Amino acid sequence: MSGGQGLAAARGWPLDHIGMAVADLDAALAAWARLGFQPHRMEDVPQDGIRVAFLAWEAGELELMAPVGPDGAVARFLAKRGPGLHHLAFRVDDVASVLRELAHDGVRLVDRVPRPGSRGTRVAFLHPSACEGVLTELVEAAHGQ
Ligand code: CO
């Protein structure tokens, strides 16, 4: 498969969510509630050491991620940079095949194979250096969602 086809496919990826690192989930929910955003799903993601809340709006979701302990990528992010934008996530049909395509095209990856995300999804992260400093996630929805 050529790199050109990969880029063409990428242009069609819908935004799935925007990930925000927060230190205190309740305080973050209160802040977003003042703007009219309400959580519709809360979930513990023990494999990432975080608790997440999803807030929906027309174009996608906000994912508020709060660490539940001192370890994990989100805790390290907060210690280094403070709360704020953490990642963008795009929806794809088949994470594994997109990863193969991107690796073939020389795109730097954090995850070379998909791993479990929240909501029963399969996810993978591209390295921020591949996307001008923004951590980028690919999300493959669980079947039936
Ligand atoms: Co995410």
Side-chain angles (χ1 to χ4, degrees):
M1 174 173 288
S2 79
Q5 283 173 301
L7 293 173
R11 283 196 290 272
W13 292 344
L15 179 69
D16 188 82
H17 64 270
I18 298 171
M20 314 281 286
V22 306
D24 180 330
L25 197 53
D26 290 334
L29 286 170
W32 284 99
R34 284 196 294 273
L35 304 181
F37 288 79
Q38 296 296 333
H40 64 94
R41 193 174 60 253
M42 312 280 285
E43 188 174 338
D44 290 306
V45 190
Q47 64 267 30
D48 290 330
I50 56 175
R51 179 163 173 75
V52 300
F54 282 92
L55 292 66
W57 86 101
E58 268 183 25
E61 292 182 304
L62 291 182
E63 178 186 28
L64 304 180
M65 308 179 297
V68 294
D71 299 322
V74 174
R76 288 194 298 275
F77 179 95
L78 284 167
K80 192 171 163 189
R81 301 173 66 165
L85 176 65
H86 181 269
H87 65 272
L88 298 180
F90 296 100
R91 200 175 317 137
V92 301
D93 290 334
D94 181 343
V95 171
S97 82
V98 173
L99 287 176
R100 282 194 296 275
E101 212 173 287
L102 295 176
H104 178 265
D105 289 348
V107 174
R108 191 169 170 199
L109 306 174
V110 173
D111 299 302
R112 298 194 68 84
V113 295
R115 59 191 183 84
S118 63
R119 302 168 285 167
T121 57
R122 300 205 308 160
V123 304
F125 285 89
L126 316 185
H127 196 276
S129 67
C131 309
E132 295 293 317
V134 178
L135 181 63
T136 299
E137 178 183 10
L138 305 176
V139 181
E140 177 184 326
H143 292 291
Q145 285 196 354

